[in-house]
């Protein structure tokens, strides 16, 4: 267990990649300068074994199951660190934790929820890690751990009630004081937080100037979450937190997909409201923990968007249509959405003509940007679509200026075609070939939901004449499995259909699990339809190999440890209704007061930890989940150079 | 958005005599002192649709309508007026202007529609489903004056037969059956094939076809070319398309796409198939798709097309001015419950023109409208009525539930209930009218009483 947890932390360390271990002058960089009094931080930092032991050129983290390599990675952080890392991952992965989070607002979760089952030091670590997920992936990782190992600096609770100036002076202490005050009551903490929030707002400018971000992130968790992200993000170029003044790395900037909105940040939501096409609904009546996610839009937004049909000239009809299809859920599935989007862009580019006194490259880029933000308003983009957009934008940016308009348009259209053909269609074919070799006669294959690659694999294997049986596992409210089932049965495969509830019963007879993915992240986490993680977990418990089939264009360099910070909310009413059962309407006629007490949560995705995955079948071959960063690195280089 | 808008304004409709005449064709019939066409054009203008084709029956009427449009929407709208011969029906009108139509989709709106349903909603629905035709359905308006139970005697006989039978799929997205107007007198036949394909059909009679359609141009033109007998969009073309949706003969749906593919590499044909397969699998198949695909899942064996319905929400207002009763109702609603269609409304729920002169002890109730320049004598009562411009109304006149158009002279002591009085009518003293229609320029002699009659000048 421990060994595994540590390896999962390794890719995060890997992202550091850009600093040398023996160069403290570089290391302080943006982070150190902001991280408060050096006297409290530098000793652990310089002594931080993590930074010393890391080599500048990082090798892709080895497969955790291979013992000798696993031992080596285990050795990378010295025992002390490994210990802390362990706690950290417990903190952010612990299923119990997320369950607690569902039930209670964050402050409580952090307070008594954790303290009941974890040591105080881990609590402290976790709290800092939570506000800034990426904190651990840059040099500050060493620093972040420091207060954990120095509980003796703990100062009194009253440090927290100090005015902000004092807070800044005492950052270190205040932060490390946190663990000791875990026993305060909820009301007290609430009051504390309120006062801090007010104080923070008052001294915001000052805090910004002195870069109090990192420090205040320790004292004030929720409100500062967004504000302290920027300094962190600026040092981690790959991060996608909301970019406020990003350093002027132009190339980088283009590569970075549009930043994500945090929908509990009122000022930003307000800004977005003003420029958005749809009128954003309030994130009311949603679970506290998931309030930062974009609220679900269908139903309320469709009539509005429809009535605006003729007013949105700047949106090409094809783009508009795709947006509507996203919004209504007519079109779902990662590949299909991506293809539909690219084809719409292709049509828009065909009909495009450069307005006078503008250059094609700039104007088209902004135009595509407008389309993308429209699509995002309709439904949040999947990571694969982000990759495709990034590809398209880089192609536009790299167009030679000597090309005439028609040539440029033709080039872009053929580029899009090539992307669809090579990255999706051919990739699927290759994956199908690869995966079919893993299917033997007499196999019982289990799949979950409806993945188009998995379907192709099954059909191909069937065509090859292999004798196997398919178990289609499905879940409410999407019931996508039914569609897949219908097509499979039509082709003459023998299938079993069951729901996720029965997964542990059906898993006995299964010999392989084939799953699709919406995205695979560079720590090997598979981001996929909600429920996938449970399937993978049960399969793991039953020692059934789990094969994830996913095209390489869906790989993403982001690291995600849970399915909370990025996810998508579905229609909350969908889970309260049972299709075809009008009599099951226990939630229908609630009074307003009762409705206030009821919060529905319909998450669309979840994150499957890499432990549960035996193999990823991708167009570059079959790889262990630990090799994802290699693909991400190589692949990105390639498609930017196409 | 690649839509062309055709407004079928109509000409001198027979249903509406004696209200319409050569001088006042149907599109210019005043509803709350604005020509009825204004409501459609305003709605389109609000939706940012500025290029319109307005089709008018009859050359003279076209001139009148053209003059009014250019005067009202000076340069806010770019309108082409097309005059078509009378009595060729709405399908014939589209046939006549067919060569003007170039966009992918056509929005056909009837000029007598008074509605606040955004046309964009219909168009968006059409686009989303990639349909051949999308029809807007709205709930049947409550007919007849709500207070006084007596409605126009003439219309009473007509009303019972005037409803529609509309079949929808369970998702209320597709039109499965439509039968309108007179057809219902006979028994209605449902198509077994459609019913079998869908499995479940919802039959409704509380919806009516609002005559706002989005058509796919290529299909519409092809259908009109091939079937010369089709007369009206509502009664012939739409039912035809709905009937044939599972065995589409006329459709060239796939042809434009095939051309596009032809321009590209032939070698990628195989990939294209796969891409379309992926896209098809991702979306929820409608019964059209299921029906068109043979059971082994190979290539489509039957061509289908989709006929969609857009059902206006119950809160929106939607009515067609196609009978005298409807004219009264719309006048009442526009000044009353649907007053948001008019831009200005005063505190008292009535609109009194700026230069109106009211005598002493004259009361104007709520939901009334008085045009500018009208003069009223003493002790008059106006309730739920619309009075046009430059009318001269004497003392002791009672106007209830009525429409009085422009330049009408009403003598002292007249009582007008539930009537329509057209322009330039002269009512002499102590005339009592109940549920009457008085044609333009008519003179009602003093002291006469009429009930449920239609008075008009004899044609010279």
């Amino acid at each position: 267990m421990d060994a595994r947890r540590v390896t999962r932390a390794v890719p995060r360390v890997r992202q550091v990649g850009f600093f040398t271990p023996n160069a403290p002058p570089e290391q302080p960089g943006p982070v150190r300068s902001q991280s408060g009094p050096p006297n409290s931080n530098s000793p652990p930092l310089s002594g931080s074994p993590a930074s010393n032991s890391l080599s500048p050129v990082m090798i892709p983290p080895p497969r955790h199951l291979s013992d000798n390599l696993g031992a080596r990675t285990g050795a990378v952080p010295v025992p002390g660190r490994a210990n802390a890392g362990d706690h950290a991952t417990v903190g952010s992965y612990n299923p119990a934790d997320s369950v607690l989070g569902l039930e209670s607002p964050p402050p409580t979760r952090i307070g008594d929820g954790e303290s009941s089952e974890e040591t105080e030091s881990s609590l402290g670590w976790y709290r800092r890690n939570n506000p800034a997920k990426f904190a651990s992936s840059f040099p500050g990782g060493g620093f972040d751990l420091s207060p954990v190992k120095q509980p003796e600096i703990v100062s009194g609770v009253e440090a927290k009630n100090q005015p902000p100036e004092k807070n800044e002076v005492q950052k270190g202490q205040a932060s490390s004081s946190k663990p000791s005050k875990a026993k305060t009551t909820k009301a007290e903490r609430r009051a504390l937080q309120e006062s801090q929030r007010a104080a923070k707002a008052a001294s915001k400018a000052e805090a910004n100037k002195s870069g109090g971000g990192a420090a205040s992130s320790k004292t004030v968790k929720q409100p500062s979450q967004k504000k302290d992200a920027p300094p962190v993000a600026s040092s981690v170029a790959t991060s996608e937190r909301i970019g406020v003044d990003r350093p002027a790395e132009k190339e980088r900037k283009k590569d970075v997909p549009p930043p994500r909105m945090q929908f509990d940040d009122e000022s930003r939501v307000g800004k977005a409201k003003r420029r958005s096409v749809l009128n954003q609904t309030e994130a009311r009546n949603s679970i506290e923990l998931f309030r930062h996610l974009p609220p679900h839009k269908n139903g309320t937004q469709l009539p509005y968007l429809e009535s605006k049909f003729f007013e949105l000239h700047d949106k090409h009809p094809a783009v508009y249509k795709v947006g509507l299809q996203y919004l209504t859920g007519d079109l779902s599935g990662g590949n299909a959405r991506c293809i539909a989007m690219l084809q719409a862009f292709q049509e828009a580019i065909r009909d495009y003509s450069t307005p006078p006194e503008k250059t094609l490259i700039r104007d088209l880029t902004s135009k595509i940007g407008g389309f993308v933000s429209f699509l995002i308003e309709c439904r949040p983009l999947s990571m694969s679509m982000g990759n495709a957009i990034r590809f398209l934008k880089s192609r536009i940016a790299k167009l030679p200026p000597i090309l005439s308009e028609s040539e440029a348009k033709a080039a872009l259209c053929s580029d899009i075609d090539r992307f669809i053909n090579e990255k999706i269609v051919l990739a699927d074919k290759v994956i199908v070939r690869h995966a079919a070799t893993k299917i033997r006669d007499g196999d019982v294959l289990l799949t979950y939901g409806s993945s188009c690659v998995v379907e192709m694999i099954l059909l191909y294997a069937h065509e090859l004449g292999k004798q196997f049986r398919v178990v289609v596992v499905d879940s409410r409210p999407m019931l996508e499995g039914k569609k897949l089932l219908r097509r499979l049965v039509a082709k003459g495969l023998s299938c079993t259909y069951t729901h996720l509830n029965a997964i542990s019963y059906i898993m006995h007879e299964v010999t392989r699990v084939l799953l699709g993915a919406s995205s695979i992240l560079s720590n090997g986490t598979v981001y996929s339809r909600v429920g996938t993680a449970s399937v993978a977990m049960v399969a793991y418990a039953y020692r059934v190999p789990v094969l994830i089939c996913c095209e390489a264009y869906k790989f993403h360099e982001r690291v995600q440890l849970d399915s909370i910070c990025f996810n998508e909310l579905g229609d909350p009413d969908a889970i309260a209704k049972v299709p075809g059962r009008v009599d099951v309407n226990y939630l229908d006629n609630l009074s307003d007061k009762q409705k206030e007490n009821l919060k529905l949560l319909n998450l669309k995705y979840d994150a499957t930890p890499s432990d549960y995955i035996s193999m990823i079948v991708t167009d570059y071959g079959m790889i262990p989940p630990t090799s994802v960063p290699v693909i991400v690195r190589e692949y990105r280089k390639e498609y930017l150079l196409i | 958005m690649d839509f062309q808008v055709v407004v079928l304004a109509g000409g001198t409709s027979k249903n509406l005599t004696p209200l319409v005449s050569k001088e006042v064709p149907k599109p210019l019939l005043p509803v709350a002192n604005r020509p009825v066409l204004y409501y459609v054009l305003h709605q389109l203008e609000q939706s940012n649709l500025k290029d319109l084709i307005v089709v008018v029956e009859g050359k003279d009427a076209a001139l009148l309508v053209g003059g009014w449009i250019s005067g009202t929407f000076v340069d806010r709208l770019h309108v082409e007026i097309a005059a078509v011969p009378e009595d060729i029906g709405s399908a014939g009108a589209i046939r006549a202007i067919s060569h003007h139509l170039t966009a992918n989709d056509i929005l056909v709106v009837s000029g007598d529609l008074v509605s606040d349903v955004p046309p964009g909603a219909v168009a968006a629905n059409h686009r989303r489903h990639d349909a051949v035709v999308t029809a807007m359905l709205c709930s049947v308006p409550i007919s007849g004056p709500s207070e006084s139970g007596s409605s126009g005697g003439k219309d009473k006989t007509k009303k019972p037969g005037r409803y529609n039978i509309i079949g929808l799929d369970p998702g209320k997205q597709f039109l499965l059956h439509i039968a309108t107007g007179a057809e219902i007198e006979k028994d209605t036949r449902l198509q077994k094939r459609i019913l079998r394909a869908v499995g479940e059909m919802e039959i409704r009679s509380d919806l009516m076809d609002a005559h706002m359609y989005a058509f796919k141009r290529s299909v519409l033109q092809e259908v009109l070319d091939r079937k010369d007998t089709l007369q009206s969009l509502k009664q012939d073309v739409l039912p035809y398309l709905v009937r044939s949706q599972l065995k589409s003969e006329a459709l060239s749906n796939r042809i434009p796409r095939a051309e596009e593919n032809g321009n590209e590499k032939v070698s990628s044909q195989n990939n294209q198939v796969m891409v379309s397969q992926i896209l098809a699998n991702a979306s929820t198949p409608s019964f059209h798709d299921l029906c068109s695909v043979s059971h082994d899942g190979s290539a489509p064996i039957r061509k289908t097309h989709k006929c969609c319905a857009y059902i206006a929400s119950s809160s929106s207002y939607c009515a067609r001015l196609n009978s005298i009763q409807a004219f009264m109702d719309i006048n009442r609603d526009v000044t009353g419950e649907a007053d948001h269609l008019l831009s200005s409304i005063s505190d008292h729920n009535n609109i009194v023109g700026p230069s109106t002169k009211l005598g002493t002890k004259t009361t104007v109730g709520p939901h009334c409208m008085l045009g500018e320049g009208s003069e009223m004598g003493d002790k008059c009562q106006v309730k739920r009525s619309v009075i046009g411009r430059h009318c001269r109304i004497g003392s002791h006149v009672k106007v209830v539930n009525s429409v009085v158009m422009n330049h009408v002279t009403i003598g002292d002591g007249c009582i007008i209930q539930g009537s329509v009085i057209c322009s330039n009518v002269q009512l002499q003293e102590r005339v009592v009218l109940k549920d009457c229609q008085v044609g333009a320029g008519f003179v009602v002699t003093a002291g006469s009483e009429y009930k449920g009659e239609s008075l008009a000048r004899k044609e010279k």
Side-chain angles (χ1 to χ4, degrees):
Chain A
M1 175 75 176
D2 273 7
R4 271 200 269 120
R5 294 302 188 190
V6 170
T7 45
R8 197 177 307 125
V10 164
R12 288 184 280 134
V13 175
R14 221 200 113 247
Q15 288 226 339
V16 178
F18 305 110
F19 74 93
T20 48
N22 49 358
E26 277 180 68
Q27 194 183 351
V31 190
R32 265 283 291 284
S33 60
Q34 296 156 355
S35 53
N39 56 351
S40 68
N41 288 324
S42 47
L45 190 81
S46 55
S48 168
S51 52
N52 277 340
S53 59
L54 288 170
S55 75
V57 181
M58 297 307 291
I59 287 149
R63 178 87 175 113
H64 57 74
L65 291 181
S66 54
D67 285 337
N68 51 344
L69 291 177
R72 202 186 302 155
T73 40
V76 169
V78 295
R81 198 195 123 78
N83 191 25
D86 182 22
H87 282 304
T89 42
V90 166
S92 44
Y93 248 126
N94 195 346
D97 169 25
S98 52
V99 170
L100 275 167
L102 286 176
E103 290 161 353
S104 59
T108 346
R109 169 177 59 122
I110 287 158
D112 33 26
E114 296 282 316
S115 59
S116 61
E117 56 181 70
E118 283 173 37
T119 64
E120 300 218 321
S121 62
S122 78
L123 173 68
W125 198 97
Y126 172 55
R127 306 185 71 203
R128 245 156 291 115
N129 192 32
N130 186 33
K133 275 279 180 272
F134 290 93
S136 54
S137 60
F138 68 99
F143 142 72
D144 256 357
L145 300 173
S146 57
V148 178
K149 283 178 271 174
Q150 294 190 324
E152 59 272 13
I153 319 182
V154 170
S155 69
V157 182
E158 69 279 5
K160 302 233 17 171
N161 284 327
Q162 302 290 337
E165 304 86 56
K166 185 139 187 222
N167 256 356
E168 266 157 48
V169 178
Q170 294 192 339
K171 275 172 275 190
Q173 288 117 322
S175 62
S176 44
S177 77
K178 209 67 210 193
S180 75
K181 64 172 287 289
K183 299 290 187 282
T184 50
T185 68
K186 193 172 172 183
E188 268 178 286
R189 282 194 307 279
R190 185 100 214 161
L192 196 58
Q193 210 175 17
E194 295 294 334
S195 68
Q196 278 168 350
R197 214 169 282 180
K200 172 105 182 148
S203 66
K204 196 179 167 191
E206 198 189 345
N208 279 348
K209 193 173 63 201
S210 63
S216 48
S217 79
K218 289 161 206 157
T219 51
V220 190
K221 296 136 307 200
Q222 276 296 91
S224 67
Q225 183 167 340
K226 275 75 63 179
K227 284 161 206 145
D228 64 344
V232 173
S234 61
S235 57
V236 185
T238 50
S239 82
E240 297 175 8
R241 301 303 301 254
I242 290 168
V244 183
D245 309 307
R246 217 171 267 280
E249 308 170 49
K250 281 192 180 157
E251 275 305 302
R252 277 281 175 223
K253 209 169 177 183
K254 269 175 216 154
D255 291 353
V256 173
R260 293 223 176 189
M261 275 270 294
Q262 300 286 301
F263 280 77
D264 51 353
D265 183 345
E266 279 171 26
S267 64
R268 271 177 200 290
V269 169
K271 262 182 221 163
K273 236 185 228 172
R274 258 170 270 139
R275 56 164 193 267
S276 77
V277 175
L278 303 177
N279 49 355
Q280 305 279 350
T281 43
E282 298 299 317
R284 69 193 153 70
N285 213 19
S286 58
I287 312 286
E288 181 92 33
L289 187 59
F290 294 95
R291 224 164 249 181
H292 61 284
L293 299 174
H296 179 73
K297 297 207 188 68
N298 188 11
T300 55
Q301 296 300 303
L302 186 61
Y304 182 77
L305 187 63
E306 280 184 337
S307 64
K308 284 274 203 180
F309 183 67
F310 289 110
E311 282 155 59
L312 307 166
H313 319 272
D314 51 330
K315 311 281 178 275
H316 191 270
V319 177
Y320 184 89
K321 181 178 168 186
V322 171
L324 267 187
Q325 284 175 333
Y326 288 172
L327 184 69
T328 53
D330 286 350
L331 198 65
S332 63
N335 280 341
R337 276 168 70 199
C338 192
I339 291 173
M341 177 188 74
L342 286 175
Q343 284 180 340
F345 284 169
Q346 205 174 12
E347 252 177 74
I349 289 174
R350 268 196 209 114
D351 293 348
Y352 170 82
S353 62
T354 319
E357 298 179 21
K358 282 193 178 162
T359 56
L360 178 131
I361 294 179
R362 281 172 184 278
D363 190 54
L364 191 58
T365 311
S366 71
K367 203 132 188 166
I368 296 280
F371 294 159
V372 171
S373 59
F374 171 72
L375 293 181
I376 291 177
E377 280 174 44
C378 291
R379 186 179 163 184
L381 297 184
S382 65
M383 288 180 218
S384 55
M385 290 160 77
N387 280 342
I389 291 164
R390 209 184 324 180
F391 161 80
L392 179 60
K393 285 199 172 169
S394 78
R395 293 308 300 164
I396 295 174
K398 293 211 175 79
L399 280 175
I402 44 162
L403 283 185
S404 73
E405 190 182 305
S406 59
E407 283 170 329
K409 277 156 62 178
L412 287 177
C413 287
S414 73
D415 276 339
I416 293 177
D417 267 336
R418 206 138 49 100
F419 188 91
I420 295 177
N421 285 338
E422 287 179 10
K423 299 301 172 199
I424 304 177
V425 176
L426 282 181
D428 281 347
K429 285 183 182 165
V430 175
I431 292 173
V432 167
R433 295 275 145 71
H434 280 310
T437 61
K438 293 288 164 197
I439 299 178
R440 287 176 303 211
D441 283 347
D443 264 352
V444 179
L445 307 173
L446 181 141
T447 184
Y448 175 72
S450 171
S451 156
C452 75
V453 195
V454 172
E455 182 187 348
M456 285 184 221
I457 292 168
L458 297 177
L459 294 180
Y460 180 74
H462 183 69
E463 275 171 31
L464 290 184
K466 301 200 175 180
Q467 299 298 317
F468 61 94
R469 209 153 60 77
V470 182
V471 178
V472 178
V473 179
D474 207 353
S475 75
R476 290 196 57 232
M478 307 273 290
L479 296 177
E480 294 164 306
K482 283 189 181 175
K483 281 194 267 175
L484 173 71
L485 191 71
R486 189 189 176 96
R487 294 193 290 263
L488 291 182
V489 171
K491 296 274 184 180
L493 280 79
S494 71
C495 297
T496 308
Y497 179 75
T498 182
H499 273 213
L500 189 57
N501 326 22
I503 184 79
S504 57
Y505 300 97
I506 202 81
M507 197 56 90
H508 288 289
E509 45 186 282
V510 173
T511 56
R512 295 230 187 319
V513 175
L514 289 175
L515 296 171
S518 168
S519 180
I520 297 185
L521 310 170
S522 64
N523 59 343
T525 302
V526 172
Y527 185 72
S528 188
R529 174 67 63 221
V530 65
T532 305
S534 340
V535 174
M537 191 170 67
V538 174
Y540 179 79
Y542 281 88
R543 305 274 189 278
V544 180
V546 178
L547 280 72
I548 302 283
C549 309
C550 180
E551 300 85 353
Y553 84 104
K554 292 178 174 173
F555 285 30
H556 201 279
E557 72 267 346
R558 180 192 290 164
V559 169
Q560 197 169 325
L561 300 176
D562 53 41
S563 45
I564 298 169
C565 53
F566 297 111
N567 209 320
E568 199 182 321
L569 294 177
D571 182 5
D573 294 331
I575 51 168
K577 291 196 182 97
V578 182
R581 289 287 301 277
V582 211
D583 50 322
V584 186
N585 57 353
Y586 312 114
L587 294 181
D588 279 3
N589 302 315
L590 294 180
S591 68
D592 283 352
K593 188 152 185 342
Q594 286 167 318
K595 267 180 194 155
E596 266 172 38
N597 295 335
L598 171 69
K599 285 176 179 150
L600 298 168
L601 177 67
N602 181 8
L603 281 180
K604 289 221 165 171
Y605 294 98
D606 66 8
T608 311
S610 57
D611 311 339
Y612 302 139
I613 294 155
S614 324
M615 189 165 71
I616 294 173
V617 186
T618 176
D619 33 340
Y620 292 88
M622 290 177 275
I623 56 166
T626 42
S627 302
V628 173
V630 185
I631 300 276
V632 170
R633 190 179 58 210
E634 300 300 319
Y635 176 62
R636 278 194 58 185
K637 211 184 293 166
E638 179 203 327
Y639 79 68
L640 290 176
L641 291 177
I642 277 180
Chain B
M1 279 294 184
D2 208 10
F3 256 91
Q4 256 180 320
V5 183
V6 178
V7 179
L8 297 178
T12 50
S13 161
K14 288 199 181 61
N15 282 344
L16 288 169
T17 46
L19 304 189
V20 295
S21 58
K22 284 244 155 46
E23 293 80 47
V24 185
K26 184 179 164 192
L28 296 186
L29 200 61
V31 170
N33 292 338
R34 282 183 178 136
V36 62
L37 191 58
Y38 170 85
Y39 294 94
V40 171
L41 297 186
H42 180 69
Q43 188 68 32
L44 292 170
E45 190 196 0
Q46 293 276 301
S47 307
N48 208 4
L49 287 165
K50 306 257 160 100
D51 294 307
L52 316 172
I53 301 176
V54 175
V55 185
V56 186
E57 284 181 1
K59 284 232 161 50
D60 302 340
L63 278 178
L64 285 171
V65 172
W68 172 76
I69 289 176
S70 55
T72 312
F73 297 90
V74 184
D75 46 2
R76 288 183 289 158
L77 290 179
H78 176 249
V79 178
E80 280 178 59
I81 309 281
V84 295
E86 295 184 34
D87 295 329
I88 59 170
S90 46
I94 300 285
R95 247 182 232 127
I97 58 153
S98 181
H99 55 280
H100 287 296
L101 303 177
T102 49
N104 266 342
D105 296 281
I106 315 282
L107 191 70
V108 180
V109 189
S110 170
D112 59 5
L113 182 69
V114 179
S115 158
D116 56 0
V117 180
V122 180
N125 210 26
H126 182 70
R127 273 284 158 78
R128 180 155 71 86
H129 290 291
D130 199 18
V132 156
V133 59
T134 302
M136 182 171 101
L137 305 177
C138 59
S139 44
V140 179
I142 312 128
S143 180
S146 48
E147 310 296 300
S148 70
S150 59
S151 59
K154 274 191 85 178
D155 300 314
K156 252 184 185 165
T157 47
K158 270 186 198 170
K159 245 188 282 165
R162 262 248 169 257
Y163 51 72
N164 309 276
I165 287 191
I166 288 166
L168 297 168
D169 77 313
K172 297 188 175 53
Q173 300 280 355
F174 300 108
L175 268 181
L176 306 180
H177 180 80
I178 187 159
T180 40
E183 285 174 46
I184 295 175
E185 305 293 338
K186 306 165 220 159
D187 47 351
T188 304
R189 279 162 191 258
L190 295 180
Q191 277 214 317
K192 212 195 270 174
R193 182 206 304 273
I194 293 177
L195 196 55
R196 201 185 293 136
V198 187
E200 202 178 314
M201 188 192 288
E202 190 180 321
I203 305 258
R204 303 190 46 168
S205 60
D206 60 336
L207 291 174
M208 70 163 203
D209 180 359
H211 209 293
M212 185 193 277
Y213 308 113
F215 283 105
K216 190 167 271 184
R217 176 185 56 91
S218 53
V219 175
L220 179 64
Q221 286 179 336
E222 201 174 331
V223 167
L224 290 179
D225 285 349
R226 289 168 53 136
K227 306 266 175 183
D228 292 336
T229 50
L230 299 181
Q231 273 276 317
S232 136
L233 288 181
K234 180 175 177 170
Q235 289 178 1
D236 301 324
V237 176
L238 184 61
Y240 169 76
L241 286 174
V242 170
R243 258 197 325 269
S244 62
Q245 59 183 318
L246 290 186
K247 50 175 171 79
S248 159
E249 303 150 358
L251 292 195
S252 44
N253 258 355
R254 300 276 158 185
I255 290 173
R257 264 183 221 163
E259 279 169 351
E260 275 168 35
N261 293 350
N263 296 342
E264 282 144 33
K265 289 166 272 172
V266 190
S267 61
S268 65
Q269 204 76 320
N270 191 18
N271 289 346
Q272 297 286 350
V273 172
M274 200 157 152
V275 165
S276 55
Q277 184 79 32
I278 292 176
L279 284 178
N281 286 352
S283 51
T284 323
S286 71
F287 64 92
H288 299 98
D289 306 329
L290 296 179
C291 183
S292 68
V293 174
S294 56
H295 288 289
D296 55 343
S298 64
I301 47 166
R302 247 185 261 144
K303 278 193 200 167
T304 57
H305 60 247
K306 292 179 184 171
C307 299
C308 290
Y310 175 82
I311 301 178
S313 69
S314 51
S315 59
S316 57
Y317 182 78
C318 185
R320 283 194 68 195
L321 202 169
N322 47 14
S323 68
I324 291 172
Q325 186 57 50
F327 177 73
M328 305 282 295
D329 294 339
I330 291 171
N331 265 302
R332 185 193 67 220
D333 294 339
V334 166
T335 49
E337 61 190 52
D339 53 10
H340 53 276
L341 290 170
L342 300 167
S343 38
S344 64
I345 206 97
S346 76
D347 304 339
H348 303 291
N349 275 332
N350 55 22
I351 305 164
V352 178
S355 54
T356 316
K357 286 178 198 156
L358 299 180
T360 54
K361 289 194 182 170
T362 287
T363 54
V364 179
H367 306 325
C368 281
M369 187 172 194
L370 259 64
E372 54 196 77
S374 289
E375 293 175 20
M376 295 186 78
D378 300 338
K379 292 185 183 170
C380 290
Q381 275 192 353
V382 182
K383 282 184 193 164
R384 284 187 298 278
S385 296
V386 178
I387 293 175
R389 296 185 193 90
H390 305 289
C391 293
R392 304 169 67 100
I393 298 175
S395 318
H396 299 283
V397 172
K398 214 174 156 184
V399 182
V400 181
N401 279 329
S402 297
V403 180
V404 177
M405 292 184 196
N406 305 333
H407 301 287
V408 175
T409 313
I410 300 176
D412 295 348
C414 288
I415 297 173
I416 300 161
Q417 273 190 324
S419 301
V420 183
I421 297 171
C422 292
S423 302
N424 299 320
V425 168
Q426 202 180 340
L427 301 186
Q428 294 173 348
E429 283 87 42
R430 297 180 308 284
V431 169
V432 178
L433 294 178
K434 199 174 178 206
D435 304 328
C436 290
Q437 294 87 39
V438 185
F442 194 82
V443 180
V444 184
T445 48
S448 47
E449 279 189 34
Y450 291 100
K451 197 174 173 187
E453 281 186 65
S454 171
L455 312 168
R457 235 174 356 170
K458 290 199 181 78
E459 295 294 322
K460 288 161 223 165

